[in-house]
Amino acid sequence: FPTRRSSDLVNQIGISLDRIQETQKLREHVIEMETIALVSSKISRAKNDKDILEAVQHIFGDAPTAAVLLVAENNTLRVASSSNLAPTGEPTSLPEWINVSPAEILRQLGNKALVKEVSKLSALNYAQYHPELQNFVEDEANNLPSLHPELIKFIESLHFTSVALLPITRNEEMDS
């Protein structure tokens, strides 16, 4: 039979596990904030598209990452530059323009970075047009912005596993 002492011990273990999880979440949040501060500082000093791309790449260090810089121009996004897109070293062709309003992207993301698996973003986008799937993505839908379908299509075409969207604003408007 469980005793009061053993149930107290079980409760203490449960509380300890909750605190460990809270501490881990807090640590992750602090790392995200430090990264955002570092990115912001480097990007604010950037003089051109190449400097912005290099600043973003530097943040990810030696991780096997690829970066694409999209610049807001004429109420669309121009593909300004890219790096390391094909792991085999083969060139990857990208469109010159993506017909997405920078203001809409900024409204969807705000001034926050979004780091997610591409499959989750794709599933959420697909489910928007198929109401019968809403129950399957309900939890994710509450935590993710609904991105423009053209942006999702562009991200999917890159064959990335994960994506980090970092809106760069100048004078309250999206720059890149």
Side-chain angles (χ1 to χ4, degrees):
F1 292 100
T3 64
R4 178 174 169 87
R5 185 176 238 180
S6 65
S7 67
D8 287 346
L9 181 60
V10 169
N11 287 338
Q12 287 176 346
I13 291 171
I15 291 169
S16 295
L17 290 174
D18 287 343
R19 287 189 180 149
I20 289 170
Q21 287 176 335
E22 289 173 13
T23 302
Q24 288 173 336
K25 286 180 183 178
L26 181 60
R27 184 175 296 139
E28 289 171 9
H29 184 67
V30 167
I31 290 170
E32 288 174 6
M33 297 303 290
E34 288 174 345
T35 301
I36 289 170
L38 182 58
V39 168
S40 297
S41 173
K42 287 181 177 274
I43 289 173
S44 69
R45 293 187 306 243
K47 292 177 178 52
N48 55 42
D49 295 347
K50 184 180 177 199
D51 291 346
I52 292 172
L53 185 63
E54 287 175 3
V56 170
Q57 287 175 312
H58 180 74
I59 298 305
F60 294 106
D62 295 330
T65 60
V68 176
L69 181 65
L70 304 175
V71 177
E73 282 184 14
N74 302 322
N75 203 32
T76 61
L77 296 174
R78 179 176 56 88
V79 180
S81 54
S82 61
S83 66
N84 300 332
L85 289 182
T88 60
E90 298 174 20
T92 302
S93 65
L94 297 175
E96 187 176 346
W97 297 92
I98 302 172
N99 193 20
V100 178
S101 164
E104 183 178 347
I105 300 298
L106 190 57
R107 184 175 34 78
Q108 293 166 340
L109 292 177
N111 285 328
K112 297 179 183 176
L114 173 68
V115 180
K116 276 296 173 199
E117 295 173 23
V118 173
S119 60
K120 288 184 179 184
L121 294 173
S122 297
L124 180 60
N125 182 60
Y126 185 78
Q128 287 177 343
Y129 303 101
H130 299 277
E132 69 275 11
L133 299 176
Q134 289 296 319
N135 292 338
F136 295 107
V137 295
E138 193 170 308
D139 291 337
E140 288 295 330
N142 293 331
N143 298 322
L144 293 175
S146 175
L147 298 176
H148 192 284
E150 288 297 315
L151 183 59
I152 294 290
K153 201 162 50 171
F154 175 74
I155 292 168
E156 289 172 338
S157 75
L158 298 171
H159 304 289
F160 290 168
T161 304
S162 299
V163 66
L165 300 175
L166 310 167
I168 301 168
T169 58
R170 293 180 200 244
N171 303 323
E172 303 297 321
E173 291 183 1
M174 193 160 124
D175 185 44
S176 52

